[in-house]
Amino acid sequence: MTLDQIKPGSHCRIKKLSIGDKLGQRLMDMGVYSGIRVKVLRNAPLEDPMELELDGYCMSLRHDEARFVEVEVL
C-alpha cells in the first residue's frame, strides 16, 4: 500500500521510499524515511495535497509524490 491510498485520520508506518532521484532526497530531507510513524490529517478540498503529521510536525505532500512512499497501516 502507498501513502496516497491512506484515508484521513489513519496512522501508518513508512516501509520504504520507491524513488531515489531528487524527489527521494527531498522527501528524506523533510523527514520522510523508513520506520517513521505518520498520521494523515486531511486532504485539501480538491484532494491534493494531503496534510501529514510526522515526528511532531505537519507537512503537506502531493498525491503524486506520496505514491512513491510504501507504508503499512497501524
Side-chain angles (χ1 to χ4, degrees), residues 1-54:
M1 178 174 273
T2 57
L3 186 56
D4 65 316
Q5 299 170 323
I6 304 295
K7 301 295 181 202
S10 300
H11 293 267
C12 61
R13 185 174 317 277
I14 296 176
K15 289 178 15 181
K16 76 174 198 173
L17 297 178
S18 300
I19 193 163
D21 61 0
K22 290 180 185 178
L23 175 59
Q25 183 61 50
R26 187 172 75 88
L27 290 173
M28 286 192 295
D29 291 345
M30 292 190 303
V32 179
Y33 53 87
S34 297
I36 195 165
R37 187 174 175 184
V38 177
K39 179 180 181 184
V40 178
L41 297 176
R42 64 182 142 261
N43 287 318
L46 297 176
E47 294 294 318
D48 205 30
M50 59 194 311
E51 186 177 3
L52 309 170
E53 180 182 345
L54 53 126

